[in-house]
Amino acid sequence: ARDFSRDTAFERLYLIVRAKGDDERLLDLLEGRLGAVDEPRRSGELLWEKARLLRRLGRMGPALRALDRLLELQPHHLGALALSAEVCLRERLHDRAVTSLTRLADLEGAPDAQRLLAGLTAANLLERKLGAPARALSTLRALRDAGLAGAHPDGETLIERLGFCALRAGEFEEAAEAFEIVLAEATDAAARAEAAAFLLALYRDQFDPSAPERLPRATQAARALLAEDPTSPDALAFLLDEVDPVERRPLLERALDELRREAEAGPLAPGKLELVAQLAEETGARRTALAAHGGLHLLGRLGAEQVDALLAFTRRFPRAPRDAALRLAPRDLEGIAGPEERGPYRE
């Protein structure tokens, strides 16, 4: 019988068999050696080799059992935690994958980037696969509290992710705090605009209307959104509905100027044309309002009452008297008509 207790003999034989690519014999050797050693460190090394070999052979169940044995011996084995999570994800064992990923995220000796990625993946599984937004939020809070607020490989920051998760979990104050941080720190204009839009929606719709801080916060969010998108319909609608006319007027005029520039470049969509009409009326730009309402009338976007209002609006402007129609002298007609043309105008 082969003696598996001798280290040197086993290692020499193992390398020979591995060089030949005989995976089944490798498994037999690893099993025999595991039965012959009782030292935890050596057992851990053998289990790690066995788990990786089984994973490569596609035997996920036995691979997981080997990893479980390894983690009992070495709970902080970085590679075993990562491989366990990978195998569980392949097998759609989402709850077990979350356990491995959160243990990896909590491992202080692991690289920060790996901890962050593990924690974010665990949060995604909890929220999207397991329907546990509160657990996902707790996982993200732990990452933040561990000082891992760095960039995710796909560009999404931990704080942004926490804000979205808090929003879906109904933790609106915490979501607002997160989006305030993103708005203040993000270098990407699109990220700032998105954060400002969520802040405006939160303060406008989810906070107590009687709270004294609600209106100033919402107004600040609207200003921030207009700084990135000067014609944001949501921000402008909020200003028109809730902000003092004197305070909102410069922002409305800026938005109207931006829409005029867009109109010079090409036709405006009906929704933006309606916005032009509303802003022009609010800021006293009568001719712009008339042009916008006329365009809406041609598009059939005005109701009967609005058409009546448009007609009443046009009557405010002075009109030339009917007897001041254009008249042409005979010699002017000679210059217009051809020499062979005959008809009432020549006569």
Side-chain angles (χ1 to χ4, degrees):
R2 188 177 291 114
D3 183 6
F4 288 102
S5 64
R6 297 171 57 192
D7 288 348
T8 304
F10 169 78
E11 290 174 3
R12 186 181 298 122
L13 180 59
Y14 184 82
L15 291 174
I16 292 171
V17 174
R18 188 171 68 179
K20 292 180 178 179
D22 190 343
D23 291 335
E24 295 299 332
R25 193 175 177 200
L26 276 180
L27 283 174
D28 290 339
L29 289 175
L30 289 168
E31 283 292 346
R33 181 61 175 164
L34 279 167
V37 300
D38 56 5
E39 199 269 314
R41 183 185 63 82
R42 291 294 293 146
S43 295
E45 292 173 354
L46 293 166
L47 286 167
W48 178 234
E49 289 294 325
K50 180 181 178 182
R52 291 195 298 169
L53 177 57
L54 288 166
R55 188 276 307 264
R56 190 172 77 243
L57 293 173
R59 302 176 189 176
M60 300 304 175
L64 268 181
R65 288 192 289 273
L67 289 167
D68 288 342
R69 289 175 61 190
L70 171 54
L71 289 169
E72 288 178 5
L73 296 172
Q74 301 176 26
H76 303 306
H77 193 292
L78 178 60
L81 289 170
L83 186 58
S84 175
E86 177 194 320
V87 172
C88 288
L89 286 172
R90 286 189 180 187
E91 296 299 291
R92 300 183 183 277
L93 302 172
H94 297 134
D95 212 354
R96 287 195 62 179
V98 166
T99 299
S100 296
L101 288 166
T102 51
R103 287 175 64 181
L104 178 53
D106 292 338
L107 198 59
E108 293 186 1
D112 286 352
Q114 193 167 3
R115 293 178 64 190
L116 177 63
L117 182 57
L120 289 172
T121 305
N124 286 339
L125 289 171
L126 286 165
E127 191 173 13
R128 299 173 186 176
K129 297 295 185 181
L130 300 176
R135 287 175 62 195
L137 187 55
S138 295
T139 300
L140 294 170
R141 287 170 181 155
L143 294 174
R144 177 199 59 197
D145 295 342
L148 299 176
H152 187 268
D154 67 5
E156 184 181 50
T157 67
L158 170 59
I159 301 301
E160 277 181 308
R161 184 73 184 82
L162 192 150
F164 289 125
C165 188
L167 188 63
R168 284 187 281 267
E171 298 290 343
F172 300 127
E173 186 69 47
E174 186 170 8
E177 290 176 3
F179 288 128
E180 290 283 9
I181 294 173
V182 174
L183 182 60
E185 298 182 357
T187 57
D188 179 59
R192 290 194 302 271
E194 185 178 48
F198 276 108
L199 281 170
L200 175 58
L202 280 167
Y203 292 138
R204 182 191 61 208
D205 302 332
Q206 302 299 337
F207 279 57
D208 182 359
S210 63
E213 72 276 6
R214 173 191 168 275
L215 183 57
R217 286 184 179 183
T219 303
Q220 185 178 5
R223 285 180 173 275
L225 181 53
L226 289 170
E228 306 298 338
D229 179 7
T231 63
S232 166
D234 286 340
L236 293 170
F238 172 79
L239 294 179
L240 288 167
D241 290 342
E242 301 200 37
V243 178
D244 178 77
V246 175
E247 183 180 355
R248 72 192 181 203
R249 186 179 180 89
L251 295 171
L252 301 183
E253 289 176 340
R254 180 190 173 202
L256 185 57
D257 288 342
E258 184 66 26
L259 287 166
R260 285 193 182 107
R261 283 191 287 270
E262 287 187 29
E264 290 172 1
L268 293 178
K272 286 201 170 183
L273 198 56
E274 290 173 350
L275 188 57
V276 169
Q278 189 175 14
L279 295 177
E281 286 183 356
E282 180 69 23
T283 58
R286 295 190 303 168
R287 294 185 183 278
T288 301
L290 177 60
H293 278 106
L296 291 169
H297 184 35
L298 291 174
L299 292 172
R301 299 290 290 249
L302 293 183
E305 292 184 3
Q306 290 175 308
V307 171
D308 291 340
L310 174 61
L311 294 175
F313 185 74
T314 58
R315 294 189 190 103
R316 301 179 191 174
F317 295 91
R319 300 176 59 185
R322 290 185 179 276
D323 59 0
L326 178 64
R327 299 178 184 277
L328 295 176
R331 59 184 167 187
D332 295 324
L333 292 172
E334 292 288 343
I336 296 173
E340 303 301 323
E341 292 181 357
R342 297 289 184 272
Y345 290 106
R346 287 299 300 264
E347 297 169 2

